[in-house]
Amino acid sequence: MVTKATRALAAAGAAVLVGGCGGSAPDATAALEVASTASTAVPPGEAPADPAPVDVTWADLDDDGANDRITVQADPGGGWQLRADLASGTVTAKLPSDQPEVLEADRRVSDVDGNRVAEVVVPVSIGANAVASAIYLYDGEVGLVPVSGPDGHPFFVYEGGGATAVNGYECADDHDGRSLGLLGVTLREDLPPGAPPRYSGTYVAHAVVDGVVTPLESTAIDDVAADDPLLQTDPASCALAG
Ligand SMILES: [Ca+2]
Ligand SMILES: [Ca+2]
């Protein structure tokens, strides 16, 4: 699905995503750990590599009352995978990203569907000015799965945009439950030289049910200034209720 937000992100020069359409902040539960690496034989004369630091996010993905350790690590098939260590075992999901930056990008623990069970928002496309993130939840029958659009492809939320776009996401407790709102506006190109930037685009509220995102309502944003409240979004509004 190519949305206005997708185009806005592309305009901002973010890396291109692998498959699919559709946020994340530093989380208080994230902690920096040093991976415990098994000792491996090192040829004489070569210094052993330093163990790579691992960014850990903690969230109770399987709703058993205990926080689960969530990390990103190398995928055996190449690229990167998201890993969650649950009491019932480890589950993984290959990330739609080939950027090593996903290892240390800030993940957010969120509850975008409002069911009081955590999901984790994982940055997968990290550009200089914009970030796209996928949202992963734990499905007891399937495992770790990304929230998807109606087309079955992973759904991404976008933040940033640099000088030419503004993207963001937030949650609102309306629409008979929590909704996930995506802002995507681009700089108007018909402004006179030197004029303050003004933006046009859309704000689309979505319902998230059983891991599927469905658009509910699209609102046009037409010719607003950079400091307009319509362009302010707060991903913290998607936090899991305590
Ligand atoms: Ca758990
Ligand atoms: Ca949830």
Side-chain angles (χ1 to χ4, degrees):
M1 170 160 52
V2 177
T3 63
K4 190 153 280 195
T6 311
R7 290 196 296 273
L9 190 78
V16 175
L17 288 160
V18 181
C21 55
S24 185
D27 190 271
T29 58
L32 195 66
E33 283 189 358
V34 174
S36 59
T37 53
S39 60
T40 53
V42 177
E46 290 188 24
D50 290 334
V54 176
D55 277 312
V56 178
T57 306
W58 294 93
D60 185 9
L61 292 179
D62 58 359
D63 198 28
D64 69 348
N67 275 337
D68 309 307
R69 186 180 188 271
I70 302 163
T71 54
V72 172
Q73 63 184 23
D75 188 275
W80 309 101
Q81 66 176 210
L82 184 69
R83 166 183 172 143
D85 298 316
L86 311 173
S88 57
T90 294
V91 287
T92 61
K94 186 174 174 63
L95 293 176
S97 178
D98 58 5
Q99 292 184 274
E101 289 87 348
V102 298
L103 287 167
E104 298 179 4
D106 292 324
R107 302 165 211 130
R108 290 194 186 109
V109 179
S110 298
D111 183 19
V112 297
D113 55 9
N115 71 348
R116 296 184 173 272
V117 179
E119 302 98 43
V120 60
V121 182
V122 181
V124 293
S125 178
I126 301 157
N129 296 311
V131 173
S133 300
I135 306 170
Y136 284 82
L137 55 79
Y138 175 69
D139 180 309
E141 296 182 355
V142 182
L144 209 49
V145 293
V147 168
S148 65
D151 58 2
H153 291 129
F155 184 86
F156 300 105
V157 293
Y158 302 94
E159 294 171 274
T164 58
V166 180
N167 296 283
Y169 76 96
E170 65 185 7
C171 291
D173 292 312
D174 54 11
H175 292 98
D176 298 322
R178 177 161 280 191
S179 63
L180 174 62
L182 266 65
L183 169 74
V185 297
T186 53
L187 182 69
R188 283 187 50 182
E189 295 175 350
D190 55 348
L191 299 170
R198 299 187 70 84
Y199 298 86
S200 295
T202 55
Y203 180 94
V204 184
H206 300 77
V208 186
V209 179
D210 294 334
V212 178
V213 180
T214 307
L216 287 171
E217 182 180 11
S218 180
T219 304
I221 295 175
D222 185 31
D223 188 28
V224 299
D227 61 354
D228 192 289
L230 288 173
L231 303 189
Q232 316 304 315
T233 53
D234 181 11
S237 57
C238 297
L240 183 67

